[in-house]
Amino acid sequence: MKVSALMTTPPVTVSHQATAAEAAVLMAEEAVGCVMITEGDILCGVLADRDIVVRGVAQAARPDEPVTRLMSTPVVTVSASEDLDVAYQLYRREDIRRLPVFDSGRLVGVLSIDDLFADALQRLADLLGPVSWSALREQTGSCPRPRSLP
């Protein structure tokens, strides 16, 4: 499966000139845990809710603190056409929670570790459904037990 199948689009972006407060308000409005910091079409960094807490609130930064002082850099990215295995490897190696996704040099989405968890859980549920149903039928006796062949 490709990264493009699970990524969230469009990415939520904020100008490199924005303040921490502006970014936080946008995160709340869009119900996201991070924003991509951009200067035109260039991705400068990623600002996550955790960055605001650890680099902002914990350091007594003011709400008008520039996002460029709080954002995480350098940014690790992934291509939309990459296999999800590449994303899994990046998450393990880089110890990150979100990957900006690029296609033809343009920022097109974000793949979060939560997206991978949701996919993994859905796949598990898809497998468990038939197994559970089969076990239930065996317990209630509505399905004949397999016979041994001589």
Side-chain angles (χ1 to χ4, degrees), residues 6-114:
L6 293 182
M7 69 182 186
T8 301
T9 60
V12 179
T13 63
V14 67
S15 167
H16 69 288
Q17 297 173 332
T19 66
E22 291 168 335
V25 167
L26 183 60
M27 287 177 178
E29 289 173 353
E30 297 291 330
V32 295
C34 76
V35 291
M36 304 294 112
I37 309 301
T38 59
E39 183 175 353
D41 290 338
I42 299 170
L43 178 63
C44 303
V46 175
L47 181 69
D49 45 12
R50 186 173 193 281
D51 296 325
I52 292 172
V53 171
V54 173
R55 294 189 190 117
V57 176
Q59 301 296 318
R62 296 174 21 170
D64 63 350
E65 187 77 25
V67 292
T68 53
R69 291 197 185 149
L70 305 177
M71 68 186 184
S72 294
T73 59
V75 181
V76 178
T77 65
V78 68
S79 170
S81 62
E82 288 284 0
D83 192 77
L84 282 176
D85 288 343
V86 171
Y88 277 99
Q89 291 169 8
L90 286 170
Y91 282 119
R92 281 193 302 270
R93 187 177 73 223
E94 302 293 335
D95 192 28
I96 54 177
R97 293 186 48 87
R98 296 166 181 93
L99 281 168
V101 180
F102 278 79
D103 187 22
S104 301
R106 288 185 41 243
L107 178 64
V108 295
V110 177
L111 181 69
S112 74
I113 203 161
D114 294 348

